[in-house]
Amino acid sequence: MFKTTRALVLRETKYKEADKILTVLTEDEGKLTVSARGVMRRGSRIAAACQLLTFSEMTLFENRGRWVVQEAQTLEQFLGLREDIALLSLGTYFAELMEAVSDEDSPNPEVLRLGLNSLFALSGGLYPPEHIKAVFEARLMCLSGYEPALEACPVCGKEDMVSPVFSTLGGTVLCGKCRSSQYGESFPLCEASLAAMRHISGAESKKIFSFTLENAAEKRLNKVCEAYVQAQLERRFSSLDYWKSVK
């Protein structure tokens, strides 16, 4: 059986002498594991389209329950990432996160769209990398079933909170005076960083990056979004650690 789909390469693993095993995120099938045979041989027609962080149109052939890349054409390579090791490592972190929240036979085209838009913004230098990272992390959590409760303090019910804090375990924002150990570890926010989180959560996909913060508020937003991802997914990501070492 043949299938044609558009897919983003999230991970590549060398297999045998000239093959690769790819993890790709597709529009219509969710996450797939596919084999790219002979892709590492000189002159391979599918080599460019099967690189990490490349968005391609792939024709797949099912062979004994496994998908094999028959043909592939590059749609977007995000060349700006390949010219900067820090940007490439941050893009790889985005790919790791998308792989972590995606399942086979469970398409989530909004996650793919977020990934493509974030990689495009990163590659083109449309926003600072830290800004793109925070937006990507926060929006990905919303699209993956971990949308935080940001409208009001669950203890006192106030929407306009004084000295707000964010509980990464509970996924909720609280007033500073309502902060409690029962909500687990919490991180300080400010009015601006809380407003940014609300914007990322509720804005149209094409507008999620469209806000500005002063440096201190941007740092708070980054710290909260990163901590929330790690708390909810219960893991750390080596590509994130590497990005921090080279940025």
Side-chain angles (χ1 to χ4, degrees):
M1 181 176 71
F2 287 90
K3 176 196 303 290
T4 298
T5 187
R6 299 201 301 175
L8 176 65
V9 180
L10 302 181
R11 181 157 54 98
E12 57 180 8
T13 303
K14 183 178 178 181
Y15 180 68
K16 295 184 178 179
E17 185 175 337
D19 301 349
K20 286 182 182 179
I21 303 297
L22 307 178
T23 301
V24 300
L25 186 61
T26 70
E27 291 179 317
D28 48 5
E29 297 287 341
K31 183 171 64 176
L32 289 178
T33 300
V34 303
S35 175
R37 294 177 177 171
V39 71
M40 298 179 68
R41 292 196 182 100
R42 182 179 299 178
S44 170
R45 293 182 299 175
I46 63 172
C50 293
Q51 293 184 79
L52 180 67
L53 301 180
T54 298
F55 185 50
S56 304
E57 183 173 85
M58 296 181 174
T59 298
L60 307 176
F61 172 68
E62 189 175 22
N63 181 29
R64 298 179 181 178
R66 297 182 179 181
W67 291 106
V68 179
V69 180
Q70 193 78 8
E71 298 178 2
Q73 181 178 357
T74 301
L75 299 176
E76 178 59 63
Q77 286 187 293
F78 306 106
L79 293 177
L81 304 182
R82 304 176 198 284
E83 299 169 354
D84 187 309
I85 187 63
L87 295 182
L88 182 62
S89 60
L90 186 54
T92 303
Y93 169 60
F94 292 176
E96 275 197 87
L97 285 184
M98 286 186 280
E99 182 179 359
V101 302
S102 300
D103 297 309
E104 296 194 10
D105 300 319
S106 182
N108 190 339
E110 287 299 315
V111 168
L112 178 59
R113 179 188 298 180
L114 172 65
L116 293 174
N117 289 344
S118 299
L119 292 173
F120 182 81
L122 196 62
S123 177
L126 303 185
Y127 303 93
E130 290 80 4
H131 182 89
I132 298 170
K133 170 182 170 290
V135 173
F136 176 80
E137 289 169 328
R139 186 70 166 205
L140 184 68
M141 291 293 95
C142 294
L143 297 176
S144 306
Y146 302 98
E147 183 170 358
L150 302 172
E151 293 308 312
C153 175
V155 179
C156 68
K158 290 183 178 179
E159 295 182 9
D160 297 324
M161 287 167 267
V162 177
S163 302
V165 297
F166 184 77
S167 164
T168 55
L169 183 61
T172 188
V173 66
L174 303 100
C175 292
K177 67 178 182 179
C178 295
R179 184 175 186 170
S180 170
S181 60
Q182 76 179 83
Y183 288 95
E185 186 177 14
S186 58
F187 294 81
L189 288 170
C190 60
E191 183 177 338
S193 52
L194 175 56
M197 290 188 72
R198 288 170 172 169
H199 171 82
I200 297 167
S201 176
E204 297 177 26
S205 59
K206 62 183 179 181
K207 296 181 179 179
I208 56 174
F209 297 103
S210 301
F211 64 90
T212 57
L213 292 173
E214 294 183 354
N215 188 51
E218 187 86 55
K219 286 183 177 179
R220 290 190 185 98
L221 178 66
N222 259 279
K223 189 171 184 178
V224 164
C225 293
E226 182 180 309
Y228 187 49
V229 166
Q230 293 182 3
Q232 295 300 315
L233 300 185
E234 299 181 322
R235 57 173 289 192
R236 294 183 61 86
F237 295 86
S238 58
S239 54
L240 175 61
D241 295 332
Y242 183 72
W243 172 69
K244 290 180 178 181
S245 73
V246 299
K247 68 173 181 174

